Amino acid sequence: MLKIALSKAPGWVQHGVTPVPDKEQGCASVKTHEDSTLLVSSPDKVERHRTDWSKLLLPMKLTIMLLTAFVMNASAKVSSQTVSLSCKQYALESVFQSVEKQTGLIFIYKEATLKGALPVTIDAKNISVERFLKQVFASQPLGFDIKGQYILVYPNPPANKASSATRRTALLQDTSILRGTVVDEKGGPIDNASIIVAGTQSGTSTGTDGSFALNVPDGTRSTTIQVSSIGYQSTTLRVNSDRLIRITLEHSASDLDEAIVVGYGRQKKATLTGAVAEVKGSEILRSPNTNVANSLQGRLPGVIMNNRSGEPGKDNPSINIRGRSTTGNNSALVIIDGVEREGLGAINPNDIESISVLKDASAAIYGARAANGVILVTTKRGLANATPTINFSYDAGATGPTRNPKMADSYTFFNVYNEIEQGEGRPARYSAQELQKFNEGIEPGYANFNWYNFMVKDWTMQHRSNLSVSGGGERTKYYLSFGEVGQDGQYKIGSTKIKQYNLRSNIDVKVTDIISVGMNLAARFDNNHYPYRNMNELNSHIYLYQPNWVPYWPGTDKVTPNRDNDNIINWVSDANGYQETKITTLQTTLFGKIEIPFIKGLSLYGSGSFDPNVISSKTWQLPTYVYYKDANSGELVKGRSGKGPNNPDLLARNDLGSRLYLTSRLNYDRKFGSHTLGLMMAYEQQTTNGNYLVAYRSDFVSTALPEIFAGSSDKNKQGNDGSATQGARKNYFGRISYNYGEKYLAEVTIRRDGSPNFPASNRWGTFPGVSAGYVISKESFFNQIQFVSNLKIRASYGVMGNDLINPFQYLQTFSYGNNYVIGNNDVNGLVQTGAPNPNITWETAKTSNLGLDASLWNGKLDMTFELFKTTRSNILTKRAAVIPGYTGLVLPDENIGIVENEGLELMLSHANRVGELRYNISGNFAYAKNRVVFSDEQPAAEPYQFATGRPIGAGLYYKAIGVFKDQADIDKNPHFINARPGDLKYEDVNGDKEINSLDRIRINETATPQITYAFNANFQYKNFDFSFLLQGQANARVSFGEYFPVMSYSLGNFLAWRANDRWTPQNTDASMPRASYELFNNNTNSSTQWLIDASFLKLRNVQLGYNLPNRLISKMKMKKLRVYISGSNLLVLADKMKDLGFDPETTDYWYYPPQRVINVGVTVTF
Amino acid sequence: MKKLIYILIVITGFSCNKIDLNPLDKLSDVNVWNDPSLIQLYVNGNYNSLLHGFQMDILPAAADETYNIHNWGNLRLIQTGEITADNVSGLGSTINYFNFAYGFIRNINIFFSKINTAPGDDAFKAQVKGEMAFLRASLYANLIWRYGGVPLITDVFELNGDVTVNRASYDECVSFIVKELDAAAALLPSDQTAANKGRASASACKALKARVLLYAASKQNNPQHDNAKWKSAADAAEALLNAGYDLNDDYQKTFLADNKEIIFGRFFTQANSTPFNLHQGRNGSDGFGAHNPTQNLVNAYEMKATGKAPYIVAADGTLTLDGSSGYDPANPYVGRDPRFEASILHDGSVWAGRETETWHGGKDSPESPNAGWNASLTSYYLKKFIIENIPPVGSTVRPTNPWIFYRYAEILLNYAEAKFELGDEATARMYLNIVRRRPGVNMPDVTESAEALRKRIQNERRIELVFEGHRFFDVRRWQIAEGKEPTPLLAMNIQKNGSAKTYTISQLISRKFRKANYLVPIPREEIDKSLGSLIQNPDY
């Protein structure tokens, strides 16, 4: 109810709101009613919001099928509202209130008008508003006029229509005051909402009844205002001529009307029936990682990500959607702007509108590639009728290792040396005095040097800049951006340098009212420079370098000869040569959409994408030099190191690849009263091609030109190679979605996929999906339950496939290899690549999901709960454990495995405001447990060794139960045939008094965590904002094998953790086994001793930002100027690998640690 | 409008792609078996089933010949008698040969199932069939030498077929191998031309047959001393005595280039070779110092003047100096069998321009500042097969000297041994002395008889064929491993005081040998996978 009490207001006005879409057209945030066509300028836009995203292009026969099936009466019915009221002698005002409550309509009148009103007595049941009001007003000295949502009340009798129009006109002349109310979806007033005239400081806020009055620039006919309130989505809208408006704000915490990107379209959260996690581009930008994928950690519930390495350009995290469901390939399908594409991590984060993850049967629309889940990336586009927005951002930061391994010091190292010698029956190599010198680490030759401290920088610079322009007119929309990233490696004198340039142009053109076309173009250029020795070689050497070695001869800058008479200082710079990779990637899509005339809601969409890429790489090796001390003169003489060739050599490789992807979709989206129907039929195909050429020459006489021609002309010092691949896919798919009043929701999808990876007989697969939802809160009885604004249950079931295998395994193939020398010539050999499996086909995943969405107390508490179960069968794996070796079969993949994966996800969020502090906090928790139902198993294994019934990858480990104190301890316990005092004591699990492989047990925890959780909080106080993200995982263990347990000087240095409390003849009550000369012995077996708990809680991200006040920046013609400081991977709050100096996310022990980033940045919007 | 729809439909229709594709990076079955040149390549590839001795895990380190400081291929488990059915799968294919061999056997079986219907003239088919039969025989021979009788598989297992097998007896395997070799020899030229050098020949078949029959006649496989078996062995060796092969004058150079002594070998090119020089090089020259000849072996080299070994070795390994040998423990490397200098680098050996220093603190000792962890622990480095002017590192040049599978000296020794076992000691001594009289060696004649002569024959084999992969099998077939192998491995320790050096022999590692160790265990998982049809060797 809006009473106009101001004396200045001479009459009434109707509202005239033009929704300003703040995103892709059709996503207007302002609610309008279907039957208010008179007053709302573009209702179609709202109604059509699905059609814009469900565009189709299809061969003729599909078109005809669809046309005949779905040509229907398309006229929309005017929905009528009814009123029931029984009262005696009610004040007219109370009657108005009652009507307002029942219908959502609003009475508008001058206070004075009701002065002469009479009390009302009426008994009405379900009669139309109009009839009801006629009865009520019959005895009143008043008249009324229903205009859309508003009922104008005026003194009786109006002369005629023209006179009321005159009155309105009169009001319009006072253009300086804008009045209205701000309400929520249910029509309830929102108090303290802020209304600001865009681009000015002029603003106000609403009262407890949601009403406001705002001074707007006089004489301005069109004003844009921004309305916002905590817990609601902010909206920007343009007010044309009208000066009385009603603004509906949507809850933001639940984002119910927000459209989420799903497979081949968008869907309102309110009508979503699948389990879809989404993260907005703005969220991603909070994390300052150069690799976008690493910014997603903790932000997508149920998506398990671990950053195993921090090496620039090679730091893609492992991504498991809902854990692991297959022993085969686990990688999710990545769709970038509708096309299967590589490069999730390399997208310019500023370009990302949103990233959605389809976790359940909602992915079934992607058929044979969907079983591992689908990640959908959508990039930004321009807005129609929007003034150009220029956005510039720059941030610079420092990255540093989260942790470096803690290695043993010289004193420990040489004590261990002596222990090994004495253990082998040889005299100690170092005297007590020498050990003391190592302990002091001062005297030359007795250094105690920390190679990690020396080689690895604490902080390395990185920066990122981005410039974008977006906007649009009536017919065109554009988003153009350029981004640049630069990053250095972690080594102090290193030459690692990563440069990346991203370019994007997303254009939409509305050619006619029914035809629109567009083009997406993304170009990326990567220029990655690494030293010749790769990260593994380099880091393993830093790890293993003895602590008594030093980099330079004392007092000089001349490098010493260390391992292999070389020095890793030579390896981090270009002294040893380099590896350079230049990658040019283009992702292009041309698309068009036609709204088929005469059949409302039918549209045809077609697109063609062509993604070529070129990788040009060069491996340039140079001889390295060190300084040797001349034995006689004592002088330092430069000489060749002990590694590599005497002359430079070069390997150059060019890879060409391309993907052609065509799709056409026919969409039909209509609303018939409360029935909303969506139909889609589509066809898709893709072809991929790739080939490479590689050339090699050695013995370059000069380093001036590292190009192939400049190498040796001797044919024996040249080499070349090359090959090619091709692939294709063909798909037919369709979808029917239906909802009744957004209360009952249902969706059915089906897809038929053909893949050349499989033999003709098994090539085609059909993948159906079905889901349904029920929005209980839409039921009328729920009107009573005020604190629940949304309550929805949903369920889905789908069948999906996984075809990620080596192609052509159904054919017997041969490849060149196994060369031999005949007649002094190196001749080709031909080897079988494996036994063919003529029955090979895709894996099948049957996934069901049960979900609950609730929004309570107006967004104060939002909740989503998911329960899922996936049964993966036909898992492609090799029957290596059951096919005997004497068959000689090189095994192909076979469809044999079955795995079940089940779990739950819970997301809670809370948004509120205390005074001027606005905040929202959210938490998510996910649990996923997989279980092998069938795998190839050796039949004779002990029952506890069966992999069946256990998680994928659950390894076999000896159970370490201590360390043998002495020979007597060995003699009285079961032991290995060659056990020695100080060896690990293993449990005799099968009780046969012998320790052998049958005593290994399976451990149910693997490197893939079963539990992941995150806690996210955002605060806003005046112009400050602050956010942080905590993330953790549990029920994960990493087995460090190979060289990790080795403690032998013959290998090199070892972890201090390994040496602490090691067994020695003096320390027999040890927890760690003895040192040994042999690298591998009983102690290095895979055992629980080396299986480390990988659970952790990390402070993943913190950001503090400040928006400069408008009054300052508007002078500089800026709309926004924000400065911020942010950090990523800042702290490990709790974990079990601290003593090792390992980041708990790593699975490798001589690793390039995940990086901690501290960043400052600025964003300017013009 | 309509036009546009049609255009879109047409575009989609025309671009319909094919999803029936062929691999572009591989050849398919049809290509291979219809093209003789591809069949030839297939045959070429299977030559890699022959394990040469320039690998990282070589048999001397599983016997008492060398100690591999890096324990490549985990072969030390054999030396220490700690081999089990579990840990054997962690060994290199030199010992853990089972799956390696059967992989190639399947390839060859496929070949035989296809070759008769494949195109190609008879001469071509005869040649490739002969080659493949030789390769398969060689695989089976190496299998039975390690495991005893094994499943004789000549058919091709299918993915879903019956995979149960039975182990054939040792003798059944021997007759199969001999039959195959006889047939192959008939198909192949007695020697290959230069252009085909490296391919199997009739002589190669005969040489393999001689060794197979010698092993089959030996105590391990012929405990009853059936003379018929020794007769076959002697005949097989005799067949090659006048086949055009002869001893090469220079023992050391025999292994560095092609020569008349080689019956069958593997050749190398720059592109197809191994970094053997790097692996065996002294640490002081940036090598990895992998295979250290043992003092046990060094002690087995006789004195040049007397033909006597320096020490008398007791059953428990105790060394007693044999004063009559002329050996001077203070100058241990003086006056030895020339084959010692040709095969082993010792302290003081001049090599690649400098003296070898294995005295403690010397350039090639563990105390060396130069990668001490790559230094020999026995004070010896490998010299046999090594080309002096190829430095271990810093060179792109790799060694290309051939690996000799069969050479004439072995045939002579095979013949001598078989004749001795048949009671013809005179012939045995004669052929033994032919080997000893090689111009560059010229050791005094052996004159012993009976058991003493047997010991001389065995020691001659140990010395002449050192590091060539014979010793591992010889001690087993002679059944002397229990007595000899468990003696500790010995090392030489050299202390240098001024210019004076003192030499002390010390224990390097102790060893064990169980009766079970005469054979190699089949990996436990292979027994499990066979569903019990494959029987494990006793006591594993």
Side-chain angles (χ1 to χ4, degrees), chain A residues 206-234:
Chain A
T206 56
T208 50
D209 64 348
S211 68
F212 69 90
L214 176 68
N215 278 308
V216 293
D218 201 5
T220 307
R221 279 295 166 132
S222 173
T223 308
T224 303
I225 58 170
Q226 292 163 336
V227 187
S228 58
S229 179
I230 191 79
Y232 298 89
Q233 263 183 303
S234 299

Side-chain angles (χ1 to χ4, degrees), chain A residues 166-193:
Chain A
T166 313
R167 284 190 182 93
R168 287 205 295 275
T169 312
L171 185 69
L172 285 176
Q173 282 158 0
D174 181 4
T175 55
S176 62
I177 295 173
L178 174 70
R179 300 166 207 288
T181 46
V182 180
V183 295
D184 62 18
E185 296 104 321
K186 290 191 167 179
I190 299 174
D191 70 330
N192 220 355

Side-chain angles (χ1 to χ4, degrees), chain A residues 670-705:
Chain A
R670 275 303 290 278
K671 211 168 172 182
F672 305 99
S674 296
H675 307 271
T676 306
L677 180 68
L679 294 166
M680 177 181 76
M681 300 188 84
Y683 169 76
E684 208 173 80
Q685 66 175 44
Q686 61 171 305
T687 316
T688 54
N689 284 294
N691 68 69
Y692 73 89
L693 277 176
V694 53
Y696 169 83
R697 287 198 193 188
S698 66
D699 290 32
F700 279 65
V701 289
S702 155
T703 58
L705 264 180

Side-chain angles (χ1 to χ4, degrees), chain A residues 407 413 451-452 538-547 549 563 1043 1046 1048-1049 1051-1054 1150:
Chain A
M407 308 310 298
F413 184 87
W451 281 93
Y452 273 99
L538 200 43
N539 280 22
S540 61
H541 277 75
I542 299 176
Y543 186 102
L544 294 175
Y545 256 36
Q546 288 182 198
W549 293 348
R563 185 180 288 265
Y1043 293 108
V1046 174
S1048 172
Y1049 65 82
L1051 179 66
N1053 206 0
F1054 33 80
W1150 38 59

Side-chain angles (χ1 to χ4, degrees), chain A residues 977-993:
Chain A
I977 188 168
N978 51 353
R980 281 170 59 169
D983 276 356
L984 281 176
K985 191 189 286 181
Y986 298 122
E987 187 168 299
D988 179 21
V989 179
N990 63 0
D992 64 356
K993 305 283 179 228

Side-chain angles (χ1 to χ4, degrees), chain A residues 1097-1161:
Chain A
L1097 174 62
K1098 281 186 173 185
L1099 178 59
R1100 194 59 92 180
N1101 181 231
V1102 177
Q1103 189 175 55
L1104 174 65
Y1106 178 67
N1107 283 307
L1108 268 70
N1110 280 333
R1111 61 190 147 76
L1112 290 178
I1113 59 170
S1114 53
K1115 286 173 195 157
M1116 295 181 277
K1117 306 274 185 229
M1118 291 178 190
K1119 285 184 193 149
K1120 195 176 163 190
L1121 174 62
R1122 180 162 189 273
V1123 291
Y1124 61 90
I1125 176 160
S1126 63
S1128 180
N1129 256 342
L1130 287 177
L1131 286 171
V1132 185
L1133 299 170
D1135 76 318
K1136 301 285 167 58
M1137 296 198 199
K1138 194 175 180 182
D1139 293 343
L1140 287 72
F1142 287 2
D1143 186 294
E1145 283 184 85
T1146 185
T1147 51
D1148 189 11
Y1149 39 94
W1150 38 59
Y1151 67 123
Y1152 196 116
Q1155 298 290 297
R1156 168 186 301 161
V1157 188
I1158 290 180
N1159 230 18
V1160 290

Side-chain angles (χ1 to χ4, degrees), chain A residues 692-736:
Chain A
Y692 73 89
L693 277 176
V694 53
Y696 169 83
R697 287 198 193 188
S698 66
D699 290 32
F700 279 65
V701 289
S702 155
T703 58
L705 264 180
E707 298 296 339
I708 280 293
F709 78 89
S712 172
S713 58
D714 180 348
K715 296 285 179 274
N716 286 322
K717 292 171 177 175
Q718 303 179 350
N720 56 59
D721 197 7
S723 187
T725 56
Q726 61 177 349
R729 240 188 223 114
K730 233 178 196 177
N731 328 94
Y732 300 93
F733 53 98
R735 170 165 61 202
I736 304 170

